[in-house]
Every structure is written in C-alpha cells, then in structure tokens.
Amino acid sequence: MVSPSTSVGRTSSPHKSNHKKLVTSLLFLLPSWILLLIFFIGPILLTFYFAFTNLSLTGSEAQATQFVGFSNFVNMFQDPNFRISVIKTIVYLLFSAIVGQQILGFILALLMKEKNPAFRRVIGIIVIAGWVTPEIVVAFCWVAFLNDSGTLNMILQQIGLKPVAWLFTFPMTSVIIANIWHGTAFSMLVFQAALDDVPKSIEEAAVVDGASRFQVLYKIVLPMIKGSVVTNMILVTLQTLGVFTLIYAMTGGGPGTSTQTLPIFMYNQAFVNYQLGYGTAISLILLLIGVLVSLLYLKSMKVKV
Amino acid sequence: MKRKSIKLERTLPYIILTVIGVLFLLPLLWVLIASVDPNANSSIKVPTAFTVDNFKSVLTNPVNIRAFIIGLLLSLGQGLLVVLVAGLAAYPLSRYQMKYKKHFMFTILFMTSLPITAVMVPVYQLFIYMKLQDSLWGTMFFLTAAGLPYAIWMLKNFMDAVPLELEESAWIDGASVWQGLKRIVAPLMIPGICTVGIFTFSGSWGNFFVPYILIQSPEKLPASVTIYQFFGNFGMVEYGKLAAFSILYTFPAIVLYIFSQRFMSQGFSLGGASKG
C-alpha cells in the first residue's frame, strides 16, 4: 500500500519544490505550538515551580515571593482538610462516575436495545437533555428540585412522607446524583454504539445452545465490549475528577467540608484564602492524578498514530 | 404460566425505562414550567396562568443582552480560532511522515484528557504576570489553547480520509500548499470542521469556571457567569426570570447538539476509533 508520505516523493514536481512544500506545511504547526506552549504547557510547567513557593495574593508574600521547598506539601499532608478532600474526591469518583454514570448508562443502553424506536427515541432525548444542559444550569435545576419547598419534597409530601432538607442532610448524595443526571447520557451513547457492534448471530447461537439471558450478557456481550467499558470508565473518571462548577454552585463545598472535593479545596485555598502557592501545590496533586488516569487511558486505547 | 413470564419479560424493560425517563425528566420540568408561570417559585406546580413576561424581561434587560453577546463573541472567537489553528496543524501531521510525529500525537492525545480544572490556578498566576487578567482576549486565547489538543486530534483523523491525489493535481496546476489546503482539503472536510467547531463552541458557551476565574469586571462577564449571580442572591431572586434565563442560555447548546448529531454519532464508537 502506498502511504501518503511516500507518494509525496513520487509527484512529478521537482524535488526542490517538494522540500519547499514540506517547510511551508511545517510552518502550519507554528500557531498551535505557540498557543499550546504559552497557555497550556506553560501553566503546567509553572505548576512545578509555583507549588514550591509561598506565592500569595495579599500580605508580605505578595511582594516577595520565595522558594519554600516542600513546605506546601508538608502543610498539605498535615492539613486535615486535604485528607478530607481526598476522601471526598474518591467517594465522588466512585459513586458518581463509576457506579452511577457507567452502570446506569450501561443499563439504559442494554434495556433500550431492540425496543420500539419511537419509545427509544423519547427516553434517549430525555436522558441526553440532561447531558446537553450546561453544568451551571444543571446545578440550578437540582438546587430547585432538592429545595426545602422543591419538587422532590412536594412529591414526598403527596405520598405522606416528611420533607427533607436534601442539600444539608445529604449533600454528597445530592451532588453525586446531580452529576449522574448530567453525565449518564455520554456512557449510554458509548454503550449503545458498543452494543450495536456485537453481532446478533453470536448471541442467538448462545441462546440456541441453552444459555440464559444473564449468561449471554456476562459471558459473551461483556467480554466483547470490554474495550469500550474500560475506555469509557477512564474518560468518565477524568471528566468527574475535574468537576468544579456543579458542586460549587450546588453546595459551595459545604455544608462544612462535606462536599469539598479536590477542585473545590484548591479553589478555596487559592482564591478564597489567597494562598496561590499552596493552591498550586494542590493543583499539582490534582494534575498528577489526572496524568495517572490519562496514562491508563492511553494504554487502554492502543492507538495507532 | 410460561406465556405470562414471557409477557413480563417483554414489558419489564419498558416499565423500568419509563421510570428512569420520568426521574430524568422531573428536574427539567420545573425550569420549563416556571419560565412561563407568572407566580413561579422553587416547586413545580401547574401554573394558574401563562405568561411570556419572564422571557420578555430577561431579553429587554441590557445587562443580560450584553452577557449573551460577550458569551457569543467569546465562544465564536474561540471556535473559529480553534478550527483555523488546529486545521493548519493537522495538515503536516496528516500529510507527512516526520521523525517525532508519533510523540507529538501522543502528547496531543495526552493533553486532550487532562482535566482543565487542574491548571486553572497556575493559569491565573500566569495571567497576572502577563497582565492579562480581566482580559476577554486573554480568556479567549486560553480557551483556544485548551481546545486545541482535541481539535488537532480530530481534524488530523478527518484529514487522513481526504485523498492526497486531489491536492497533487492542484499542485501540478501551480497551486501552493496553502491554496491546496484551502481550496481542496478544507471543502472536503466540512463535516469534520463543523463537528470540531460546534463541539468547541458548546464547550466554551457552557464554561463557567474559566471566565469566573479570569474575568473580574462584572461588565465583561459572559452569560455562563452572570447566571450564577442570579443564583448567588437566592432568596431575592425571581424564579420565573431565572428559569427563563436558564432556558435562553441552554437553547444554543441544544440547537447545536441537534445540528451536530449526525456527525457526532460517529465519535461514540470508541472501540472502532481506537483501531484507526
């Protein structure tokens, strides 16, 4: 097979003009390089520097920023708030991304398979509506829904139950459910595409051989879509790791520290307490977790470039 | 007996799906109903009257209009810049075998998956050093850079599908590389360009965190942040207007989703994508 690169050398144009073409097209990379270096790679590299300084927005440190070695990290690991944030982040990732979005998305895709197309469409549109809605509006919908005099409490009262102050009594559950509502459509779409790729004949053959529905699912379908499951899990985890807006707008990280995941903790330290150096040290931790999960993602993708 | 269980097996998924559907619909219903209810409060109820006053008052308030226009300019600017810059970058990556291409593409893919939240604190510090804080241009450039990895990756894949022969014949007719890209490759990549453009626009339109950190002046804030200010003074707020604002703000995202659906559906076959 002739790849594009080899056929470039075989055009009838003289060699010199080909060289010129290569140089011109390499110049095309320049704008993206400049933007990425200044605004993306730059900040990432700066993280490694600022995390070791006492950079602050106010006070004497604001004038004279100093290199403080590992003291931000020593403080961080001694800070009970940091430990709480790590635990909150793990709980949030586990229940919102992995258990919630992934499993609910899979159940939706599985149940919708081969159903009445009009019905499928209606359910699909409702679920996707939550996904297309901007995060800040999602937060607002849920604050209203879970409000003391909101829709959920109204329904509870109708069936004779007592209203609950959801955002105060169950803040973590509230933000987890709101994020599941917002994110599940992505997993559903991924699993729908994956399930469509499973040949029907294999499933049918298994049923003829006497396999139960559960056995077909567990022994045939799941192994066949394993790649999509892993990739989706990593992408949803990365996405959930970065969630700031939803939690910030719904609970502000509270009450107390009950929904203070790492992004909220980082924001509070950097922009509420003005400790930018400390905030950056938290950024670095968040970034390292992101890098770790991203590497898993690359590994699972087995991409060819 | 057996027939009964088969019937149940048929109807059960419909029942479960309907329940899930209703649960998903409930939080949205309030916004839809409250926006046209003259006496809206935080709970869902059948409105006693129908009104478009909430929409009218949101749309006649110059502060809201300005926020929408800023959001639109920011997102459009970012969308155009991303498509242009990423399109240029995708060209050599698609057309030539280069020594470090593989590393470069992996770095790009890697950057695609990094959570943007994690870099916001250092970006803020960088903006202070470059005196770019409170600058809409600075914000747009940062958003552009953050959108580039995904766009380069996607556009390179779309470009790989455009046959080189078409360009070569243009070159023979005396066209330059740039002309070939502009006249031959770009028109054939319209679906890819639309997908990336729409995706970028929606991401920027819905982005609250970035402008919230980088912009300070209230008069420069896009709609994604001004909606939060409604929200901040929760007790005082008129729920109907807030609901109307939410709907108007969500509307472009939904329209663009519908528009891009047929292109986007290709992107969800992760298994297939990982082989290409």
Side-chain angles (χ1 to χ4, degrees):
Chain A
M1 211 183 98
V2 181
S3 76
S5 56
T6 52
S7 65
V8 166
R10 285 182 199 165
T11 51
S12 51
S13 339
H15 181 75
K16 207 172 177 184
S17 126
N18 266 334
H19 183 71
K20 205 180 127 196
K21 282 200 169 79
L22 179 64
V23 172
T24 315
S25 45
L26 281 180
L27 281 177
F28 289 172
L29 281 168
L30 214 59
S32 56
W33 262 111
I34 294 171
L35 277 168
L36 282 174
L37 276 177
I38 298 178
F39 291 106
F40 210 85
I41 299 166
I44 291 175
L45 295 178
L46 278 177
T47 311
F48 286 90
Y49 169 66
F50 286 134
F52 297 95
T53 67
N54 62 357
L55 187 69
S56 167
L57 270 182
T58 53
S60 56
E61 293 98 336
Q63 268 80 49
T65 301
Q66 276 173 356
F67 188 77
V68 292
F70 283 94
S71 78
N72 282 330
F73 293 92
V74 172
N75 289 339
M76 195 186 337
F77 287 110
Q78 283 170 351
D79 188 345
N81 271 328
F82 173 72
R83 262 173 276 162
I84 290 170
S85 288
V86 172
I87 293 168
K88 297 290 172 192
T89 309
I90 293 170
V91 169
Y92 191 64
L93 284 179
L94 192 69
F95 287 99
S96 174
I98 297 169
V99 176
Q101 293 182 26
Q102 173 112 344
I103 293 182
L104 184 59
F106 183 74
I107 290 173
L108 278 167
L110 196 68
L111 290 180
M112 278 163 85
K113 210 182 161 195
E114 287 149 38
K115 293 293 171 303
N116 175 302
F119 179 78
R120 234 180 110 132
R121 220 175 142 65
V122 170
I123 302 293
I125 287 172
I126 293 172
V127 176
I128 288 168
W131 181 51
V132 178
T133 306
E135 216 176 330
I136 186 88
V137 179
V138 172
F140 183 61
C141 288
W142 278 90
V143 167
F145 184 70
L146 299 173
N147 198 354
D148 292 350
S149 55
T151 308
L152 185 57
N153 280 332
M154 200 193 70
I155 296 171
L156 288 182
Q157 277 172 312
Q158 294 288 324
I159 55 172
L161 293 171
K162 274 187 182 161
V164 178
W166 296 102
L167 288 168
F168 285 94
T169 321
F170 303 105
M172 195 47 146
T173 315
S174 302
V175 292
I176 285 173
I177 290 177
N179 196 49
I180 293 174
W181 186 80
H182 183 42
T184 297
F186 178 79
S187 300
M188 180 187 80
L189 291 166
V190 167
F191 288 131
Q192 276 182 336
L195 289 176
D196 282 346
D197 284 346
V198 176
K200 227 182 152 189
S201 55
I202 298 182
E203 285 177 69
E204 277 163 359
V207 173
V208 169
D209 288 345
S212 72
R213 277 181 144 223
F214 184 74
Q215 281 174 322
V216 173
L217 176 67
Y218 194 70
K219 295 211 168 129
I220 296 171
V221 177
L222 272 179
M224 285 188 81
I225 63 164
K226 208 174 78 190
S228 292
V229 173
V230 173
T231 316
N232 182 60
M233 188 186 289
I234 294 168
L235 283 180
V236 169
T237 305
L238 276 168
Q239 160 67 30
T240 307
L241 182 67
V243 170
F244 170 83
T245 306
L246 189 75
I247 300 177
Y248 183 69
M250 278 181 75
T251 66
T257 52
S258 54
T259 52
Q260 184 179 263
T261 55
L262 276 172
I264 305 277
F265 183 54
M266 178 188 80
Y267 172 84
N268 284 337
Q269 295 308 320
F271 299 110
V272 179
N273 298 339
Y274 303 128
Q275 297 301 321
L276 285 174
Y278 190 41
T280 314
I282 304 162
S283 284
L284 190 59
I285 299 289
L286 198 57
L287 204 62
L288 290 178
I289 301 174
V291 166
L292 215 69
V293 183
S294 306
L295 287 176
L296 277 176
Y297 171 57
L298 290 189
K299 221 174 143 76
S300 79
M301 285 275 282
K302 292 193 195 80
V303 272
K304 219 174 73 189
V305 269
Chain B
M1 191 66 193
K2 201 177 178 197
R3 187 170 291 167
K4 214 173 184 181
S5 78
I6 287 173
K7 209 177 165 191
L8 183 71
E9 203 174 304
R10 282 242 178 94
T11 47
L12 195 62
Y14 281 97
I15 296 167
I16 298 172
L17 281 173
T18 308
V19 170
I20 297 178
V22 170
L23 291 177
F24 263 87
L25 193 60
L26 278 176
L28 265 188
L29 269 184
W30 174 83
V31 192
L32 295 175
I33 295 174
S35 70
V36 291
D37 184 349
N39 308 307
N41 56 28
S42 66
S43 71
I44 193 170
K45 60 180 161 54
V46 180
T48 45
F50 175 87
T51 180
V52 286
D53 285 354
N54 293 325
F55 287 96
K56 252 192 212 156
S57 85
V58 168
L59 285 173
T60 48
N61 184 343
V63 175
N64 295 335
I65 298 294
R66 188 185 56 209
F68 275 118
I69 291 175
I70 290 173
L72 199 66
L73 291 177
L74 207 59
S75 306
L76 271 180
Q78 187 206 351
L80 286 174
L81 266 175
V82 162
V83 165
L84 190 72
V85 173
L88 283 176
Y91 184 81
L93 294 171
S94 165
R95 288 322 194 216
Y96 296 98
Q97 282 309 329
M98 289 170 294
K99 211 173 170 186
Y100 297 105
K101 188 170 102 178
K102 207 174 164 182
H103 296 99
F104 188 73
M105 287 310 286
F106 269 116
T107 314
I108 291 286
L109 186 64
F110 178 66
M111 286 197 280
T112 306
S113 48
L114 280 183
I116 195 177
T117 312
V119 295
M120 278 321 290
V121 180
V123 164
Y124 177 77
Q125 289 159 4
L126 184 75
F127 268 51
I128 289 177
Y129 277 90
M130 299 200 297
K131 305 225 180 312
L132 272 177
Q133 81 266 45
D134 210 25
S135 150
L136 283 170
W137 285 105
T139 307
M140 193 199 286
F141 282 128
F142 168 66
L143 284 168
T144 303
L148 275 179
Y150 165 81
I152 293 175
W153 182 264
M154 288 293 284
L155 287 177
K156 188 244 173 204
N157 285 345
F158 276 107
M159 212 176 269
D160 285 346
V162 177
L164 186 74
E165 286 76 18
L166 295 170
E167 266 169 281
E168 285 177 340
S169 58
W171 292 346
I172 292 166
D173 293 341
S176 67
V177 181
W178 167 244
Q179 284 167 329
L181 175 60
K182 204 174 74 174
R183 292 204 196 132
I184 312 286
V185 184
L188 288 170
M189 283 181 49
I190 297 287
I193 290 173
C194 285
T195 311
V196 172
I198 289 170
F199 193 89
T200 312
F201 181 96
S202 312
S204 165
W205 180 255
N207 195 320
F208 164 83
F209 195 35
V210 173
Y212 186 62
I213 297 292
L214 298 180
I215 306 282
Q216 278 89 42
S217 317
E219 69 273 10
K220 287 186 185 172
L221 291 171
S224 59
V225 185
T226 51
I227 195 175
Y228 179 70
Q229 297 185 329
F230 268 109
F231 209 102
N233 326 309
F234 210 54
M236 324 279 286
V237 130
E238 289 162 276
Y239 286 100
K241 283 181 192 157
L242 182 46
F245 191 103
S246 300
I247 288 178
L248 289 167
Y249 171 60
T250 307
F251 190 65
I254 291 180
V255 170
L256 286 177
Y257 172 76
I258 294 167
F259 188 68
S260 68
Q261 210 183 2
R262 65 199 174 109
F263 306 127
M264 295 233 294
S265 61
Q266 301 159 354
F268 281 104
S269 183
L270 292 176
S274 64
K275 279 165 208 136

